[in-house]
């Protein structure tokens, strides 16, 4: 709906043509860079015997392969919704080639994913099973990486530095395992009893991870950047994220 729209804000003014302007898409993409800057990738890098392979994996594995998948399959899926019955305008103009998907109104595009999965399950049950296994594997690998990283940070940066500086590796590994178990238990309890709090915290987690960028620059490319400057930038960024998110506004 354009490059940028000057409105009164969400809930105050209706954006003409929708809120997803080019600036909205760009800032969302920048925010999701927080996934890449999240601590668990740094922990994996520091745990490797040699960091040389990470450059190859990052450029060709993440950027190239995932980029090709995104640029090839996302347009096919998006255009397919218009041609398979989800678009009332395409249906009335006899452009659609089938009525596999139900017509959805503007703003209801999010429900199309479950209709896609349902249609695949009816026509190709084996493919639906493969999708289910892939979804579980993706969720498990992501959750395991974050939980293990949390345990490592608590053991290495909290316990080892402030509780028992002389702890050996066996004690650190034990504390790391216990911390990971505790983090996983807290996550399960919150997901079961306070799902709204989980949504609020998950909305904060990714942009807050992006605030680690000054520290990452200092470690990798800017050796003159001091620890105090990186920490100051981190705290300023965290405060800005908190005040601009729903939790801070409330």
């Amino acid at each position: 709906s354009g490059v940028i729209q000057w409105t009164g804000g969400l809930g105050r003014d209706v954006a003409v043509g929708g809120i997803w302007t080019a600036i909205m898409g760009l800032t969302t993409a920048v925010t999701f860079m927080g996934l890449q800057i999240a601590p668990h990738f740094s922990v994996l890098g520091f745990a490797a015997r040699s960091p040389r392979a990470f450059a190859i994996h990052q450029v060709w594995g993440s950027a190239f392969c995932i980029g090709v998948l995104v640029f090839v399959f996302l347009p096919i899926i998006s255009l397919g919704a218009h041609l398979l019955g989800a678009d009332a305008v395409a249906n009335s103009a006899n452009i659609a080639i089938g009525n596999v998907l139900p017509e959805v109104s503007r703003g209801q595009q999010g429900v199309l994913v479950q209709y896609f999965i349902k249609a695949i399950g009816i026509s190709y049950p084996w493919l639906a099973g493969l999708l289910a296994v892939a979804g579980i594997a993706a969720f498990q690998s992501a959750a395991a990486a974050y939980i293990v990283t949390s345990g490592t940070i608590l053991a290495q940066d909290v316990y080892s530095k402030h509780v028992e500086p002389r702890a050996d590796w066996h004690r650190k590994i034990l504390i790391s395992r216990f911390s990971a178990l505790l983090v996983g238990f807290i996550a399960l309890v919150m997901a079961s009893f306070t799902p709204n709090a989980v949504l609020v915290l998950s909305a904060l987690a990714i942009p807050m991870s992006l605030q680690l960028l000054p520290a990452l620059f200092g470690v990798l490319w800017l050796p003159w950047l001091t620890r105090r400057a990186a920490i100051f930038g981190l705290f300023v960024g965290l405060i800005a994220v908190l005040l601009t998110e729903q939790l801070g506004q409330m």
Side-chain angles (χ1 to χ4, degrees):
S1 54
V3 177
I4 190 171
Q5 288 193 49
W6 302 105
T7 67
L10 295 178
R12 300 180 181 178
D13 195 6
V14 178
V16 180
I19 64 174
W20 284 102
T21 60
I23 295 296
M24 180 75 163
L26 176 63
T27 53
T28 303
V30 171
T31 300
F32 274 94
M33 288 170 58
L35 289 172
Q36 195 174 21
I37 304 174
H40 77 281
F41 282 109
S42 301
V43 169
L44 292 176
F46 287 130
R49 185 180 298 274
S50 173
R52 294 180 179 178
F54 278 86
I56 300 174
H57 294 165
Q58 195 68 13
V59 173
W60 297 109
S62 298
F64 180 75
C65 296
I66 302 301
V68 168
L69 293 177
V70 169
F71 280 105
V72 170
F73 287 102
L74 281 186
I76 293 175
I77 295 173
S78 303
L79 185 61
H82 293 280
L83 301 179
L84 294 177
D87 189 351
V89 177
N91 294 338
S92 61
N94 294 324
I95 300 177
I97 59 176
N99 294 318
V100 180
L101 301 174
E103 287 186 4
V104 294
S105 59
R106 182 180 293 274
Q108 299 294 322
Q109 299 91 337
V111 301
L112 286 175
V113 175
Q114 59 185 1
Y115 284 118
F116 268 119
I117 296 176
K118 183 178 180 181
I120 291 174
I122 295 174
S123 302
Y124 304 98
W126 63 270
L127 185 56
L130 184 61
L131 283 176
V133 173
I136 294 173
F139 172 78
Q140 184 181 12
S141 62
Y146 283 111
I147 290 175
V148 168
T149 301
S150 301
T152 302
I153 291 174
L154 290 174
Q156 188 70 21
D157 297 330
V158 177
Y159 178 82
S160 179
K161 289 186 178 181
H162 302 288
V163 180
E164 185 60 47
R166 298 181 180 179
D168 56 7
W169 279 109
H170 296 287
R171 176 62 63 86
K172 292 179 181 179
I173 291 175
L174 181 62
I175 296 299
S176 178
R177 290 173 177 173
F178 176 77
S179 301
L181 182 64
L182 182 62
V183 170
F185 177 75
I186 293 174
L188 289 175
V189 171
M190 291 184 64
S192 301
F193 299 102
T194 58
N196 293 331
V198 173
L199 292 176
V200 173
L201 292 177
S202 62
L204 288 172
I206 298 177
M208 282 189 169
S209 294
L210 183 62
Q211 307 314 310
L212 292 170
L213 193 59
L216 192 64
F217 276 172
V219 171
L220 298 178
W221 297 294
L222 306 177
W224 46 265
L225 190 65
T226 64
R227 176 192 295 265
R228 186 173 298 177
I231 294 176
F232 179 77
L234 175 63
F235 274 101
V236 170
L238 292 177
I239 293 173
V241 168
L242 184 62
L243 294 180
T244 54
E245 285 289 339
Q246 185 178 5
L247 179 63
Q249 294 176 6
M250 289 189 299

